Amino acid sequence: MIPAAFDYVRASSLTQAIDLLRNDPDGTKLLAGGHTLLPSLKLRLASPALLVDIGDLAELKGIEISETGIRIGALTTHAELFASLPLNEQLPLFRQAAGLIADPQVRNRGTIGGSLANADPAADWPAVMLALQAEIEIAGTSGFRTILARDFFVDIFSTVLEADEILARINIPRPTAGTRFVYRKIRHPASGFAVVGIAIALRLSQNLVSEATIGVTGAANHAFVGEDAADFLIGKTLSRENIDQAARLLSEATECLSDRYASADYRANLIQVELKRALLALTP
Amino acid sequence: MSTREERHTVTFEINGARKTVAAEARRLLVHLIREDLGLTGTHVGCDTSQCGACTVEIDGLAVKSCTVLAVSAEGASITTIEGLTPGTDLDPIQAAFHEHHALQCGFCTPGMVMSVRQLLKDQPAPSEHDIRRGLAGNICRCTGYHNIVRAVESLASKGEQS
């Protein structure tokens, strides 16, 4: 399969890339890892006039760990997130989630920024970012703006990004000491994407849940925070009954997708199963 | 003719040799490698980044060359299956595949070998589970996986890697 012809510019600065996007917002696409874009070009699902390769932009690379939090450049690959020791010392959730994405060769090219900006409803990182209460840093014509991950995803393949904006970095606040994390998914056997995926950050004090954030992917039009279920768990033990009730609440609050992989009813059931398994994995 | 069909000059190193070629922006790396450079050991299987038959190394990382633009290879160092040994000798991974009958039709073999290189770099002594996970991006349509796993296990136990 051969993509339709396009112009190509290898951007040498973020400003240049933004200017090119602004010149022709409808006809221009950014190229990072290319593992969603190139297949869609080959299938002629997209035929942009211009590809702007942002692969050289150093300001979009790297993982920085400080006292206050973690900063991840949008071009960081799944493989880098899997392998980074300092990152996984703080948040082993990254290794757990990255290891469940696609396969080794795809992880060597695909980027976290590309995954988030593409907003595939079945992508893994969105759920993880929600559980970690991440903030997305966006570069545009008038500088940078930030938005919480929970406000970033709008619909299927749709985010708050404007046509002349670039997802630049992800900022993750340092979690409270003692917070435990998990990411689990029902993996589609062919695509590797999440039919349903659940990420949880949870803290217990004296066997009672003191903090809980639940990120869900695969189930609905876009990744979302399971607020009712998390609120319900606060102040409670992780007993069988409480876990069952949280799972029911999460499932009831979700308007589930129905597609050729899974019906809405099946997904509503999978949400319950996966939330229970995820909470059991966090039970000491 | 629109500027979209213009050819871009790309310079990279492949199997130790420096090359400068002209390629349309839409040209996929695998087509450049096979058709322009004549290195036909890298195969096109599914063409949708599932099967791994097109796996090559770019800057030391195994990638699917059907899903990389040739123009993105500017400045890169690429290794294909032809670059593992000079002439017709077998490198240790190829020899292990031969020894353990780890190929039937052979179509997936170059991609498998390139992925095994990455696997053994990351995990010099992988378990069977590690091997199967490490080769998850490569499909053998003959379903001859057992002997591929055995070939890799033989390299792990001897601590050999290329």
Side-chain angles (χ1 to χ4, degrees):
Chain A
M1 288 180 291
I2 315 284
F6 47 79
D7 284 318
Y8 171 89
V9 174
R10 202 164 167 126
S12 55
S13 73
L14 203 47
T15 321
Q16 185 198 6
I18 291 164
D19 285 345
L20 288 167
L21 282 175
R22 199 168 43 157
N23 282 346
D24 180 11
D26 296 331
T28 307
K29 280 276 189 193
L30 296 178
L31 174 67
H35 271 53
T36 298
L37 181 60
L38 293 188
S40 64
L41 296 182
K42 287 161 74 176
L43 293 165
R44 308 272 175 133
L45 297 173
S47 45
L50 171 66
L51 279 200
V52 178
D53 189 337
I54 54 173
D56 284 342
L57 303 184
E59 59 262 61
L60 304 184
K61 293 182 184 175
I63 303 169
E64 290 165 42
I65 297 173
S66 70
E67 286 299 305
T68 52
I70 295 163
R71 213 166 182 221
I72 298 171
L75 289 176
T76 310
T77 63
H78 312 312
E80 288 167 339
L81 293 164
F82 180 85
S84 168
L85 292 177
L87 174 66
N88 285 290
E89 239 166 59
Q90 303 258 334
L91 289 170
L93 187 57
F94 275 94
R95 171 171 279 258
Q96 196 180 33
L100 294 174
I101 296 174
D103 59 56
Q105 294 101 307
V106 172
R107 294 199 287 269
N108 278 337
R109 294 292 289 188
T111 65
I112 187 169
S115 165
L116 296 174
N118 187 52
D120 189 308
D124 299 290
W125 289 126
V128 174
M129 295 303 109
L130 292 170
L132 294 174
Q133 302 184 34
E135 190 184 73
I136 314 268
E137 207 174 322
I138 298 168
T141 38
S142 48
F144 289 89
R145 67 176 174 121
T146 56
I147 184 163
L148 287 172
R150 60 183 303 154
D151 300 322
F152 180 76
F153 303 103
V154 176
D155 204 342
I156 289 195
F157 298 110
S158 168
T159 70
V160 300
L161 282 170
E162 299 290 341
D164 60 353
E165 289 186 318
I166 298 177
L167 193 160
R169 281 179 282 269
I170 298 117
N171 299 318
I172 296 164
R174 203 186 184 89
T176 319
T179 309
R180 300 154 67 95
F181 305 94
V182 69
Y183 178 68
R184 295 190 45 95
K185 70 170 167 179
I186 302 282
R187 197 175 199 270
H188 186 272
S191 74
F193 274 90
V195 181
V196 164
I198 305 248
I200 305 180
L202 183 128
R203 202 161 72 88
L204 292 167
S205 8
Q206 289 159 351
N207 286 328
L208 299 181
V209 176
S210 58
E211 287 175 33
T213 314
I214 300 171
V216 184
T217 191
N221 277 2
H222 60 85
F224 63 94
V225 174
E227 203 133 27
D228 297 347
D231 287 350
F232 168 79
L233 287 170
I234 301 293
K236 299 198 174 64
T237 61
L238 289 177
S239 67
R240 188 76 215 199
E241 298 70 44
N242 288 336
I243 288 176
D244 286 350
Q245 179 60 14
R248 265 193 299 274
L249 286 169
L250 180 64
S251 183
E252 280 164 18
T254 309
E255 200 173 309
C256 286
L257 272 181
S258 191
D259 57 24
R260 64 184 194 276
Y261 302 135
S263 68
D265 285 350
Y266 181 49
R267 279 199 169 83
N269 182 61
L270 288 185
I271 290 181
Q272 296 209 30
V273 171
E274 281 300 281
L275 185 71
K276 287 179 199 175
R277 286 175 177 166
L279 287 170
L280 286 172
L282 292 172
T283 307
Chain B
M1 187 178 93
S2 111
T3 57
R4 296 182 196 177
E5 282 155 39
E6 244 172 47
R7 286 171 173 247
H8 300 247
T9 303
V10 194
T11 302
F12 51 85
E13 201 186 277
I14 187 158
N15 302 332
R18 196 177 155 86
K19 299 270 180 198
T20 298
V21 296
E24 264 187 70
R26 62 171 156 174
R27 188 119 175 108
L28 299 167
L29 181 61
V30 70
H31 294 145
L32 182 101
I33 289 172
R34 287 177 55 81
E35 293 161 20
D36 298 353
L37 304 178
L39 298 169
T40 52
T42 302
H43 292 165
V44 180
C46 69
D47 207 6
T48 54
S49 65
Q50 306 291 321
C51 81
C54 64
T55 301
V56 302
E57 255 175 45
I58 300 183
D59 297 330
L61 298 174
V63 304
K64 293 178 174 174
S65 60
C66 77
T67 309
V68 177
L69 293 179
V71 283
S72 301
E74 174 65 35
S77 172
I78 301 168
T79 305
T80 68
I81 190 75
E82 291 89 348
L84 298 196
T85 53
T88 55
D89 293 345
L90 298 182
D91 99 325
I93 299 173
Q94 291 169 315
F97 270 56
H98 178 234
E99 181 67 26
H100 293 269
H101 304 283
L103 57 150
Q104 291 178 43
C105 82
F107 190 85
C108 73
T109 311
M112 285 284 178
V113 170
M114 297 310 287
S115 286
V116 171
R117 275 166 68 89
Q118 167 101 61
L119 169 67
L120 292 176
K121 255 188 258 173
D122 293 345
Q123 296 167 289
S127 66
E128 183 192 333
H129 178 74
D130 296 334
I131 294 168
R132 289 185 185 274
R133 285 200 59 156
L135 297 179
N138 293 75
I139 294 173
C140 168
R141 308 284 187 188
C142 307
T143 70
Y145 294 104
H146 292 311
N147 285 355
I148 294 172
V149 172
R150 277 181 203 127
V152 182
E153 279 175 337
S154 77
L155 294 164
S157 54
K158 284 186 275 180
E160 276 182 34
Q161 51 178 307
S162 64

